[in-house]
């Protein structure tokens, strides 16, 4: 099952999510498969096609009282091109990922504050 993320394919084990990502002037297809889906608690997306040599992202939602929770991301990845990718691009990838997750967490907080 391939889901573009817009039709609410749901957080179910085995769902594949396709995204188009831009890396500089290049647009790539990134396909991840969902697993370990525990609604309201966690899920994992694992790249099956995309820009990384390997990618596994565990999304955790931990309750904090009756109405709050913590969102935690645990990401294991390997940049493409082996040693050369780690040597030349490691800093670049870390910086981009930090900015991406900072943005994502900020947008998530803003969305829930409006609700």
């Amino acid at each position: 099952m391939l889901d573009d993320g817009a039709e609410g394919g749901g957080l179910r084990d085995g769902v594949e999510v396709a995204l188009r990502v831009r890396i500089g002037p290049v647009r790539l297809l990134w396909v991840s498969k969902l697993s370990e889906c525990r609604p309201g608690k966690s899920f994992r997306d694992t790249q099956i096609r995309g820009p990384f040599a390997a990618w596994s992202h565990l999304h955790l939602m931990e309750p904090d009282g009756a109405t709050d929770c913590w969102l935690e991301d645990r990401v294991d990845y390997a940049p493409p091109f082996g040693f050369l990718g780690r040597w030349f691009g490691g800093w670049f990838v870390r910086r981009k990922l930090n900015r991406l997750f900072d943005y994502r967490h900020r947008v998530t907080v803003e969305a829930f504050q409006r609700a």
Side-chain angles (χ1 to χ4, degrees):
M1 168 182 256
L2 190 61
D3 182 18
D4 66 4
E7 290 300 318
L11 292 177
R12 296 186 317 272
D13 288 348
V15 169
E16 293 182 8
V17 179
L19 303 170
R20 297 252 178 232
V21 296
R22 180 180 292 247
I23 301 174
V26 178
R27 291 178 54 92
L28 298 172
L29 179 64
W30 187 344
V31 180
S32 292
K33 183 177 269 190
L34 301 183
S35 63
E36 302 174 38
C37 296
R38 297 173 35 217
K41 297 182 186 289
S42 65
F43 68 96
R44 179 180 304 277
D45 64 87
T46 303
Q47 174 188 288
I48 56 176
R49 177 179 174 190
F52 290 91
W55 174 274
S56 179
H57 176 188
L58 180 62
H59 306 251
L60 293 166
M61 287 118 327
E62 294 290 333
D64 185 23
T67 60
D68 297 325
C69 73
W70 288 95
L71 176 60
E72 181 179 340
D73 294 288
R74 296 181 187 169
V75 179
D76 293 311
Y77 68 93
F81 311 118
F83 174 77
L84 290 177
R86 288 188 304 275
W87 179 260
F88 291 109
W91 65 271
F92 176 77
V93 171
R94 279 189 301 279
R95 186 182 71 163
K96 288 294 222 182
L97 289 176
N98 284 335
R99 290 170 71 188
L100 170 74
F101 285 112
D102 286 347
Y103 170 78
R104 197 186 93 173
H105 285 218
R106 187 173 58 252
V107 168
T108 301
V109 167
E110 290 170 1
F112 280 100
Q113 287 174 339
R114 287 191 303 268

